[in-house]
Amino acid sequence: MSAFPGVRTPVYARAAPPKIGLPIMDAYLLRELAAPFAFALGAFFLFWFANIFVLAADYLVNKNAPIFLVLRFLLFRVPQATPMAFPFACLFGVLLAFGRLVADNEINALRTSGVSFLRIIRLPLIAGIVVALVSFLINEHVAPVTTDLSTRSFYQILYHSQTLPVEPNMFRSDPSTGNTFYIQSVAPDGKTMQNIMIYQPDRTSPFQQILTAKSAHIDGTEIVLEHAIRTQIKADGQIGAVDVEAKELRISLPMGDNGQNFLSGSMNDTYTMDTKRLAQDIKFRKQTGQGGTDLAGRELTLGSKYAYPFASFIAVVIAVPLAVRFGKKGRMLGIVMSLVALLVYYGMVALAGAFGKNGSLDPYLAAWLPNIILAGVGSFLIWREDR
């Protein structure tokens, strides 16, 4: 209501709230990158899926395996390809997207209008870091679980089981004590085991010991042997004593494991276990004097678990200047360059890994060396392009 009769109060339009989002140039570049990135990622996973399907086709056709079990085996195996799929998708996506922008003179138009080259490539570099983090998290937390389910699905197909069986005839080692466990089979409850043998080295006694039992079960972080037979072996190979345990004999599981981790194949395979568990395993082996190529291989694998995902960012660093330099040659050249760069990278990984295993290079340096070399080359090319 107006304060004075006959005088109207003016109406003011409410100011529009500020928009929060990417700048127009960055949003445009993101849209250009998204399509080839998604295509390359899907193509890589499809190739991985088809490669594994060739191995599973025999069980589907000749052994009458249920189709849903075969599909579960295949689908749960796909996340294992993440560390290789994401770098390829980043490389392919940047080469094709920036190749088109260069071919249509859009990059030149931006630079002519005063936008620096480093500003143009800022979003692809940030996107590369984000993809690297996503790749690492998937490989760290998703891949071990899905790989274990895939392996158990395979054994379900193999043994025509109604439930997901646990891997039979398994060996487990405890790097902190040197104990080696052998379990012939595990019941469907995931805790009860049959025909167990545990080898204990002579670290704390003058004897080597072998514990055997017909049955055992897991209780918390311990394996409980029922009516175990203890055989002591002297240094000269002669049997010192044989005892039959009347009661239960409890042995700690490796690294304080619970039953699920102890029996899981993925949690005991250096290529699928997470970095925390692998680092702990390496630490125990060093403390107990276990070295050689096996330790070097584990250190190399641990380094690779960080280096492979980070290769997504390195792929962007190397792809941007190559796309700007050769973009006018056409998309086919971009595809060829993606495949060649991928082969060169994994060739460097294999070569550095060989030197890391034989002790010529530090294993962690060997895992990161291909990334360091390509990052240096890419950074130099970006610097040249920005001048």
Side-chain angles (χ1 to χ4, degrees):
M1 179 180 291
S2 175
F4 301 97
V7 179
R8 300 182 63 186
T9 302
V11 178
Y12 298 96
R14 180 178 296 178
K19 293 183 178 180
I20 301 175
L22 289 173
I24 294 176
M25 183 185 72
D26 290 336
Y28 178 70
L29 289 175
L30 188 61
R31 288 195 299 270
E32 289 293 316
L33 290 166
F37 173 83
F39 172 79
L41 189 65
F44 194 99
F45 280 135
L46 182 62
F47 174 79
W48 181 272
F49 185 91
N51 185 50
I52 302 175
F53 180 79
V54 170
L55 302 176
D58 179 63
Y59 291 95
L60 182 64
V61 176
N62 297 323
K63 298 186 179 179
N64 300 319
I67 183 65
F68 80 92
L69 283 182
V70 175
L71 289 176
R72 186 169 66 185
F73 163 72
L74 295 172
L75 290 173
F76 283 151
R77 188 66 62 170
V78 169
Q80 197 175 7
T82 299
M84 295 174 283
F86 277 92
F88 174 72
C90 286
L91 183 71
F92 186 91
V94 172
L95 282 173
L96 262 67
F98 268 73
R100 191 203 68 77
L101 295 173
V102 170
D104 293 345
N105 292 316
E106 295 184 37
I107 298 295
N108 288 337
L110 287 171
R111 300 181 73 174
T112 304
S113 64
V115 182
S116 69
F117 184 67
L118 290 178
R119 174 62 186 88
I120 295 172
I121 67 173
R122 185 179 70 180
L123 180 121
L125 292 176
I126 294 174
I129 294 175
V130 172
V131 171
L133 290 174
V134 172
S135 176
F136 173 77
L137 292 174
I138 292 175
N139 193 49
E140 182 80 355
H141 300 291
V142 178
V145 177
T146 57
T147 302
D148 183 58
L149 290 173
S150 176
T151 302
R152 294 177 67 183
S153 296
F154 173 75
Y155 284 118
Q156 189 174 3
I157 295 171
L158 192 63
Y159 296 109
H160 304 284
S161 173
Q162 296 297 319
T163 59
L164 282 173
V166 178
E167 173 190 1
N169 297 312
M170 69 176 70
F171 286 88
R172 299 287 183 262
S173 62
D174 186 350
S176 61
T177 62
N179 292 346
T180 301
F181 299 77
Y182 168 76
I183 297 104
Q184 186 181 63
S185 61
V186 181
D189 62 6
K191 293 183 178 181
T192 306
M193 296 164 283
Q194 292 80 39
N195 296 326
I196 305 92
M197 180 181 294
I198 303 174
Y199 167 76
Q200 297 179 314
D202 53 353
R203 290 183 179 176
T204 58
S205 71
F207 301 99
Q208 300 178 24
Q209 294 190 140
I210 298 176
L211 304 174
T212 57
K214 286 289 186 181
S215 62
H217 64 274
I218 292 175
D219 182 15
T221 60
E222 295 179 320
I223 181 171
V224 183
L225 304 178
E226 301 168 4
H227 306 292
I229 300 175
R230 185 199 308 268
T231 304
Q232 295 182 340
I233 303 175
K234 298 179 181 179
D236 60 2
Q238 299 296 318
I239 295 178
V242 178
D243 300 323
V244 178
E245 298 289 336
K247 298 181 180 180
E248 297 177 339
L249 180 62
R250 292 177 173 265
I251 304 293
S252 296
L253 293 175
M255 298 188 292
D257 266 345
N258 56 31
Q260 182 178 359
N261 287 348
F262 176 71
L263 297 174
S264 169
S266 63
M267 288 296 180
N268 292 275
D269 184 349
T270 57
Y271 293 99
T272 53
M273 67 173 64
D274 58 46
T275 55
K276 181 180 178 181
R277 184 177 178 84
L278 183 54
Q280 188 180 24
D281 179 270
I282 292 171
K283 177 183 176 182
F284 282 132
R285 290 177 185 275
K286 287 183 176 180
Q287 290 176 345
T288 54
Q290 301 177 58
T293 57
D294 182 62
L295 180 62
R298 290 170 185 270
E299 291 177 323
L300 181 66
T301 302
L302 179 60
S304 300
K305 286 181 178 291
Y306 292 101
Y308 278 176
F310 194 74
S312 299
F313 173 72
I314 303 301
V316 176
V317 172
I318 198 73
V320 166
L322 291 178
V324 172
R325 186 173 294 269
F326 300 105
K328 290 184 179 293
K329 302 291 184 179
R331 290 192 173 186
M332 184 56 65
L333 180 62
I335 296 173
V336 173
M337 288 174 62
S338 299
L339 297 175
V340 171
L342 187 70
L343 292 175
V344 169
Y345 176 76
Y346 286 114
M348 293 171 62
V349 167
L351 188 61
F355 284 114
K357 286 183 178 180
N358 67 17
S360 301
L361 276 177
D362 178 81
Y364 296 110
L365 176 60
W368 279 93
L369 190 59
N371 284 359
I372 294 172
I373 294 173
L374 291 181
V377 172
S379 299
F380 174 74
L381 293 176
I382 289 175
W383 174 76
R384 285 280 304 271
E385 197 63 42
D386 189 51
R387 293 183 63 185

